Amino acid sequence: VVDEMEYLLKLGFNEIHIIDDVFTADMQRAYKICEEILRRRLKFPWYPRGGLRVDRVNRELLDIMKRAGCYRIPFGIESGSQRVIDVIKKGITLQQAEDAVKFSKEAGLEVECYFMIGLPTETKEDILKSINFAKKLDPDYVKFAITLPFPGTEMFDEMMESNRIKSFHWQDYNFAAPRNVYEHDNLSWDQIEYFCAKCHRDFYLRPTYIMKSIYRSIKNGQFMAHLEAFLKTEWF
């Protein structure tokens, strides 16, 4: 792995994103990769863009990832409701999520948190728990995405059995802009879209977050780019 990283750097690339479902699934392997980056004295920014599980990190691993050049950690948390997390068989706890985010911040890493809207059996109250939990964690970035039942998944099979799949046009199953593809247990599609937008507004339009973001973007020289993105975003 590090041979490939070194080769890319020699070609002239300046940053590497690791596209791996769970880079730290084997925590010892991830640790060794970081050790090898340090041993070869390779200096480049990188981050595990595929996302990490909150139960597959610890303070020691996060520390060496930071020293090896990692600058941001994305965590797939999915919900702020422990009940919903258990329903989807995620196999994590909210406390593990809090600890993982806390350890990442202490290691000096930026933090991204991913949540999903429209998970099986989810209610309005569960969604409000998710946004409140996101605010409590206070990561640098957060992403709320609409849940999609892809073919081959348990969710898709269950929805097929109950005749709740409404579209077999696969272009509708778009991560960025999914269409009305299924009938949810408790929420209409309009409500799912509404809450997805609301969660982003409630998180990013907080005065404390805006001030922190302005300070961070000025410090790293990205203020104008972030301002342009903010103005182009349809918040309402």
Side-chain angles (χ1 to χ4, degrees):
V1 172
V2 183
D3 284 346
E4 291 181 347
M5 291 176 169
E6 191 166 19
Y7 177 68
L8 289 170
L9 295 173
K10 287 178 180 178
L11 289 177
F13 290 96
N14 297 317
E15 180 170 338
I16 293 175
H17 294 182
I18 297 176
I19 309 301
D20 186 325
D21 280 342
V22 190
F23 172 64
T24 60
D26 183 340
M27 294 172 66
Q28 191 58 36
R29 174 178 177 273
Y31 194 95
K32 288 180 179 179
I33 289 172
C34 293
E35 279 188 323
E36 186 63 16
I37 292 172
L38 291 169
R39 189 188 70 80
R40 298 190 193 190
R41 298 181 180 177
L42 301 178
K43 298 187 182 298
F44 63 97
W46 61 274
Y47 91 108
R49 190 172 182 177
L52 304 183
R53 285 180 59 91
V54 297
D55 60 349
R56 301 307 301 161
V57 294
N58 57 34
R59 182 58 193 270
E60 183 182 21
L61 177 58
L62 292 165
D63 280 341
I64 196 170
M65 288 174 70
K66 170 67 176 178
R67 289 193 286 115
C70 180
Y71 64 91
R72 184 184 301 166
I73 301 291
F75 289 118
I77 297 171
E78 322 315 354
S79 176
S81 165
Q82 187 64 55
R83 183 194 68 79
V84 173
I85 287 176
D86 294 340
V87 166
I88 65 173
K89 304 173 186 177
K90 178 74 176 179
I92 65 170
T93 67
L94 296 180
Q95 186 59 56
Q96 287 174 322
E98 289 191 53
D99 291 342
V101 171
K102 175 175 177 286
F103 295 153
S104 298
K105 290 181 178 181
E106 289 175 351
L109 292 154
E110 292 182 352
V111 180
E112 285 180 344
C113 288
Y114 301 148
F115 290 85
M116 301 176 76
I117 303 296
L119 289 164
T121 77
E122 192 169 49
T123 65
K124 297 177 186 179
E125 290 72 24
D126 292 318
I127 295 175
L128 293 177
K129 287 182 180 179
S130 290
I131 183 57
N132 288 333
F133 191 58
K135 292 177 182 177
K136 180 179 180 180
L137 295 176
D138 196 29
D140 297 282
Y141 308 98
V142 71
K143 171 66 176 176
F144 290 88
I146 294 176
T147 304
L148 289 172
F150 289 112
T153 64
E154 184 176 323
M155 182 180 176
F156 182 86
D157 293 341
E158 290 177 350
M159 287 189 170
M160 279 291 293
E161 290 177 6
S162 55
N163 295 316
R164 289 192 289 136
I165 296 294
K166 300 169 70 174
S167 174
F168 294 96
H169 297 289
W170 306 124
Q171 65 267 29
D172 293 341
Y173 291 70
N174 182 301
F175 275 122
R179 298 177 184 173
N180 192 356
V181 298
Y182 61 88
E183 183 179 334
H184 190 267
D185 310 83
N186 303 307
L187 305 165
S188 69
W189 192 262
D190 286 344
Q191 288 175 320
I192 290 173
E193 290 184 330
Y194 166 78
F195 278 111
C196 191
K198 174 180 171 56
C199 287
H200 284 109
R201 288 197 304 269
D202 286 2
F203 182 86
Y204 283 109
L205 298 185
R206 293 174 296 152
T208 53
Y209 180 86
I210 291 173
M211 294 306 298
K212 183 175 71 172
S213 181
I214 290 173
Y215 172 78
R216 182 175 63 238
S217 60
I218 291 175
K219 185 177 179 180
N220 60 26
Q222 296 181 323
F223 176 74
M224 294 307 298
H226 286 181
L227 178 62
E228 182 180 0
F230 180 86
L231 295 175
K232 287 182 177 180
T233 300
E234 295 183 8
W235 296 101
F236 297 95

